[in-house]
Amino acid sequence: MKKRRGFTLVELLVVIGIIATLIALLMPALTRARQAARRTVCLSNLRQLTEGWIMYADEHKGLLVSSGTSSDATWVNGGNSRDSLVTGALYAYVNNTDIYLCPNDRVNYWRTYSMNDFLNGAWYQGQGQQAKKITDIRHPTSTYVFLEELDVRGYNLGSFVTDLYPADDWIDYPAPWHDDAGMISFADGHAQVWVWGDPRTKNIPGNFAYQPGNNDLRQLQAWLGFPPYPPNLQP
């Protein structure tokens, strides 16, 4: 009877090496698949919030829910807590708190998304330009409603303010939760991946970042919903 022969050390090392190589090949694909799934969830969140925003206007004779930050009449009632969501004016239309948070958000506990302050907010009211009713939005396919905000300063909560063209500074900051892209929705109800072209956009520092020539800032200025628009980015 022949004696059974086990694996030699060399053979075991070869097998371990093959397994390690397979893992190394599969991990990037798995990571990409996971990130794609999270982007899909985030886009779905934005579509549902925007549908709720449209439903609110339909039931209030075209009046837009306020994008301000300080009372029950606003879409969220200030802050970044569960109470700020459930006491906000939009919660009756989007009453699942999970929808307010991107799965990649590493800073906030309850809310990732903020609303374009041009849409019945406070900042642009002082400048004489603001959409109070949904019929005031002249370019719904290119006027943004919600985007992901990196809100680490603790004020202007729930409202995203962008200074008008030709300003070169960010007032509020898009969140870098998807590497080189952000998620954004528009007044006609669609949402999309916003791929950034300027590497500075995902590395915005603390207060009021000055970034001359940042084309991502120019794009957001073009999506505000009212002029002046960057000359090469007309709605």
Side-chain angles (χ1 to χ4, degrees):
M1 182 183 232
K2 290 186 178 180
K3 188 176 180 181
R4 288 189 177 180
R5 176 179 171 273
F7 289 107
T8 67
L9 178 60
V10 172
E11 289 170 335
L12 284 172
L13 290 174
V14 169
V15 171
I16 292 170
I18 291 171
I19 292 171
T21 302
L22 289 173
I23 291 173
L25 291 172
L26 288 173
M27 282 303 295
L30 291 172
T31 299
R32 288 194 297 270
R34 183 170 60 249
Q35 291 302 325
R38 290 178 175 177
R39 284 189 178 192
T40 299
V41 171
C42 192
L43 288 172
S44 176
N45 290 348
L46 286 167
R47 290 189 191 101
Q48 291 179 74
L49 286 171
T50 307
E51 287 171 6
W53 174 81
I54 292 170
M55 289 168 61
Y56 180 98
D58 288 344
E59 292 188 8
H60 290 79
K61 298 180 179 179
L63 180 68
L64 297 176
V65 64
S66 174
S67 61
T69 62
S70 60
S71 74
D72 292 350
T74 63
W75 81 280
V76 288
N77 186 16
N80 184 14
S81 66
R82 185 180 187 280
D83 285 345
S84 71
L85 303 184
V86 301
T87 61
L90 204 62
Y91 193 74
Y93 304 89
V94 187
N95 57 11
N96 180 350
T97 57
D98 291 341
I99 292 171
Y100 294 76
L101 188 70
C102 169
N104 272 359
D105 193 334
R106 300 182 296 276
V107 171
N108 302 298
Y109 292 100
W110 293 99
R111 181 184 52 77
T112 299
Y113 311 108
S114 291
M115 188 185 293
N116 181 354
D117 193 78
F118 167 63
L119 304 174
N120 199 10
W123 178 272
Y124 298 115
Q125 190 172 19
Q127 303 184 43
Q129 299 192 82
Q130 189 182 82
K132 287 282 190 179
K133 290 193 168 186
I134 202 162
T135 51
D136 295 334
I137 301 173
R138 298 182 180 181
H139 307 285
T141 61
S142 57
T143 298
Y144 88 90
V145 181
F146 292 102
L147 55 66
E148 300 169 293
E149 180 178 3
L150 178 60
D151 198 342
V152 294
R153 296 173 298 158
Y155 68 91
N156 193 30
L157 297 174
S159 183
F160 198 98
V161 177
T162 303
D163 212 350
L164 301 175
Y165 174 80
D168 282 315
D169 26 24
W170 296 90
I171 296 177
D172 289 324
Y173 317 133
W177 303 146
H178 302 277
D179 296 326
D180 59 348
M183 306 291 145
I184 190 166
S185 72
F186 294 84
D188 67 340
H190 85 276
Q192 68 182 54
V193 179
W194 173 23
V195 178
W196 297 330
D198 192 310
R200 293 176 294 174
T201 304
K202 66 177 181 180
N203 295 306
I204 295 175
N207 276 329
F208 296 93
Y210 178 65
Q211 294 187 345
N214 187 318
N215 287 328
D216 299 320
L217 177 59
R218 292 288 179 260
Q219 181 62 76
L220 200 58
Q221 289 167 334
W223 283 335
L224 278 178
F226 63 94
Y229 300 112
N232 59 332
L233 293 169
Q234 296 296 316

